[in-house]
Each structure stands twice: as C-alpha cells, then as structure tokens.
Amino acid sequence: MARPSAKETKVKGSITVPIMLNGRLYGTLGIAKSVSYEFTPKEEERLMEIGEAISRKIAS
C-alpha cells in the first residue's frame, strides 16, 4: 500500500528489484516512471543483473 505522499509523486510505472547476492538481501533498487509503463522481461533481467552488481560492490 502506498503512503499518501508517495501517491503525490504521480508515478505510473515502476519496478523494484532485489540487491541480493548468494541469497543475502542487501536492499532493493526501485525504478519509477511518470507514465504508464510495463517493463519487458529483458529489462527486468538487466535490472536484476544491475542489482547483483551493486550487491557485489557492497559485499566487497
């Protein structure tokens, strides 16, 4: 459920992916768009790769 202040941002398309490595969750990465948008499987895959790359930097 979105907080009232979050609704004021007018975000219409968004995705959140884990920042995770070897089963350990370090956080999440959120991408938001001001227009309605459905992320493609390729975009989702790439964002998951980016999340893993970030987790590798955090873990090192």
Side-chain angles (χ1 to χ4, degrees):
M1 177 151 61
R3 294 181 178 173
S5 60
K7 291 179 181 178
E8 292 173 11
T9 64
K10 308 283 190 234
V11 169
K12 298 192 179 192
S14 64
I15 189 170
T16 302
V17 296
I19 297 175
M20 186 165 41
L21 182 63
N22 297 327
R24 182 172 177 194
L25 180 65
Y26 291 92
T28 58
L29 173 65
I31 306 296
K33 297 179 83 64
S34 61
V35 296
S36 293
Y37 189 82
E38 188 170 330
F39 290 84
T40 67
K42 183 69 176 171
E43 289 171 320
E44 291 177 16
E45 180 183 335
R46 185 66 181 124
L47 288 168
M48 292 289 287
E49 292 169 358
I50 291 168
E52 184 174 325
I54 292 170
S55 69
R56 289 183 191 284
K57 289 292 185 181
I58 292 170
S60 65

